[in-house]
Amino acid sequence: METVVGPGGALAAVVDGAAAPRAVAVVTALLALLALLVSRWPEHLDTAVHEGGHAFAAFLAGRLVAGVWVEADGSGLTWSFGRRSGVGLFATRAAGYLFPSLVGVCSARLLTAGKVTAVLILGVLALAALLLVVRNGFGERVVIIVGASMVLTARYCPDWAQTWYAYLLTWVLLFSGPRSVLVLHRARRRGAVGSDADRLAESTHIPAVLWVLAFAAFSLWCALKGAALLLA
């Protein structure tokens, strides 16, 4: 472990080396599952990353991101303006359900390489960018609280605490991907309309149920791949 020093003093205690022992991965996986069962903060984190995926894809596609909303009931919304058809709109609509799982598996790859602090710092930078476009108070609180926890962990906590927290967040994202797709499927069975799958069906003429299956397949692949990396 080494310390990164800036003009104002220590910025972070950098944990860089080998991957954590398998016991850490197993225990943090169980803690993540428990958090998903007894707390709503993993759902709020998943929603923030989901909407952040929409916003990021819209930005890359050259669309104007008007705002992001993260609600206390677990729902979210991203408004962007641009062409009403084309690859940019497709990518923007598809990114939401893909993004938490994709972030989770990329984080797992970094943790396998021992880049613990990199996971926390990249997470802080991503949340700081998201905060610029969040438009409601609850969403701002979610982003600030999670981002602040990462900053405090990277700057003040010992290496083992950084490792445990980075692994916990990674597992939460890996597990949240399939869970959110299951929630989408149940909502559609109850008659809910206007989901990302429905909007993709409108623009591609491919049935929404196939988009739900695609989201499920991708999120399950990421969860299995991430688990294989973390438990290796």
Side-chain angles (χ1 to χ4, degrees), residues 105-182:
V105 77
C106 289
S107 176
R109 176 71 69 179
L110 287 172
L111 291 177
T112 302
K115 307 295 184 181
V116 174
T117 310
V119 170
L120 298 176
I121 292 176
L122 289 172
V124 170
L125 294 176
L127 289 172
L130 179 60
L131 187 60
L132 296 176
V133 293
V134 172
R135 298 291 182 255
N136 67 319
F138 183 82
E140 290 175 346
R141 289 194 295 274
V142 169
V143 173
I144 290 172
I145 289 172
V146 177
S149 70
M150 291 181 176
V151 171
L152 294 174
T153 301
R155 179 160 185 176
Y156 297 111
C157 290
D159 55 352
W160 67 265
Q162 286 196 40
T163 300
W164 279 69
Y165 192 43
Y167 270 74
L168 177 64
L169 290 174
T170 300
W171 280 118
V172 165
L173 290 174
L174 290 172
F175 291 150
S176 292
R179 178 184 177 276
S180 64
V181 178
L182 179 60

